[in-house]
Amino acid sequence: MSKFFSDRFAALTPYTPGEQPQERTYIKLNTNESPFPPSPAVVSAVAQEAKRLQLYSDPESTTVTDALAARYHVKREQVLVGNGSDELLNFAFMAYCDETHPALFADITYGFYPVFAEINHLPYIEVPLREDLSLDPEDYTSLNGTVFIANPNAPTGLALSRAVIEEMLKIRQDRIHVIDEAYVDFGAESVLPLVDRYDNLLVIQTFSKSRSMAGARLGFAIGRPELIRDLNTLKYSTNPYNVNRMTSAAGVAALQEDDYYAGNAAVIQENRAWTMGALRKLGFEVTDSMSNFLFARSDRINGDALYRSLKERGILVRHFDRPRISDYVRVTVGTRDQMEAFILKTTEILQEVAE
Ligand SMILES: *Cc1c(COP(=O)(O)O)cnc(C)c1O
């Protein structure tokens, strides 16, 4: 830190992204990306749009916003796109938290939430998950604040039903609930059908996972028009051109390829079930993940040792050196070949530690 760095951020611990090695080619199961490329239509839409790079992008991102509104059966005024869903989550922290409305989120959840709270100097409460890593809604209804729930949660993969979230919305109509559905396309229930009925619900999704666009940075928020106006105030105060031309074009093209992406998500779910079974046969405890990753631990090897041994063998997974979950590894579900390689190497590693 230089001597000029503002005291306001002296204590800030930034988010640690998963490794993105540029030298060696690993089987990359560490950042929940899709193993499948974007559809060819997306690639050519990006190439076409690149010819107009001399022009600013549309600050209203009209084309992709309209395509999202049509896809999710809402009005254009109910949608805001962002530079990844991370940008929109940051706006939601800025918009809906303050000294009397602390952010409420799980002790084990997306690691960016505490960072968003801290960079904006907002109070927050980390609400402990139950022993089995599930979330108890009553822990939230009994506190005051703005609720952030990743559903399915990361890194556990566990999901709440729509009915449970609707109950929370009814019990606490005085507060906003931000539901981060980054992984919802892999089998969980979305609360998007509730946005017209509840003015205290904001849903955030992303093209990064199920739509193979992590490198393009495109997320979206859907809620009542008043909420979208709030977020727009912050967007126009930071970066009016937050979504670039190529990314907007990619998003529009991707929304016309639902069958391709739904097919990929179905393959991921099959591979998830296969890998879960194989891990359980090896004696792992595995959470009931509804996402594109598995969260697993074994009594025979700790999380850090398994992460390191797999890395030596060319497979990257994610380990979190955090209380309660340091025994676990998080493994992105890739292709069947990738998962077979992961299981093979894991089996070898367990044999070695047993010797
Ligand atoms: C990946 C992820 C995001 C961020 O997605 P981007 O759209 O790539 O910024 C948000 N929330 C959760 C829980 C995630 O895992």
Side-chain angles (χ1 to χ4, degrees), residues 36 185-186 259-272:
F36 305 111
D185 295 334
F186 300 102
D259 291 350
Y260 172 72
Y261 294 108
N264 289 348
V267 171
I268 295 297
Q269 289 175 72
E270 275 167 35
N271 296 350
R272 177 177 77 202

Side-chain angles (χ1 to χ4, degrees), residues 152-159 188 272 287-295:
N153 194 16
T156 66
L158 299 177
R272 177 177 77 202
T287 60
D288 239 324
S289 173
M290 297 293 275
S291 61
N292 68 339
F293 54 83
L294 291 164
F295 201 49

Side-chain angles (χ1 to χ4, degrees), residues 38 42 46 82-84 206-208 211-219 242-244 246-248 250-251:
V42 168
V46 168
N83 192 311
T206 177
F207 282 65
S208 292
R211 289 193 177 100
S212 301
M213 274 175 49
R217 316 303 305 128
L218 183 62
N242 62 337
V243 176
N244 73 69
M246 278 102 64
T247 293
S248 274

Side-chain angles (χ1 to χ4, degrees), residues 84-86 89 110 113 150 154 180 182-183 206 208-209 217-219:
S85 55
D86 289 336
L89 287 164
Y110 188 35
Y113 297 162
D180 177 356
Y183 300 103
T206 177
S208 292
K209 314 300 177 12
R217 316 303 305 128
L218 183 62

Side-chain angles (χ1 to χ4, degrees), residues 148-164:
F148 291 83
I149 295 178
N151 194 50
N153 194 16
T156 66
L158 299 177
L160 299 173
S161 70
R162 182 187 302 144
V164 164

Side-chain angles (χ1 to χ4, degrees), residues 66-79:
D66 284 351
L68 280 165
R71 169 69 178 75
Y72 291 105
H73 314 293
V74 294
K75 298 188 211 70
R76 172 197 291 186
E77 309 81 69
Q78 293 180 270
V79 183

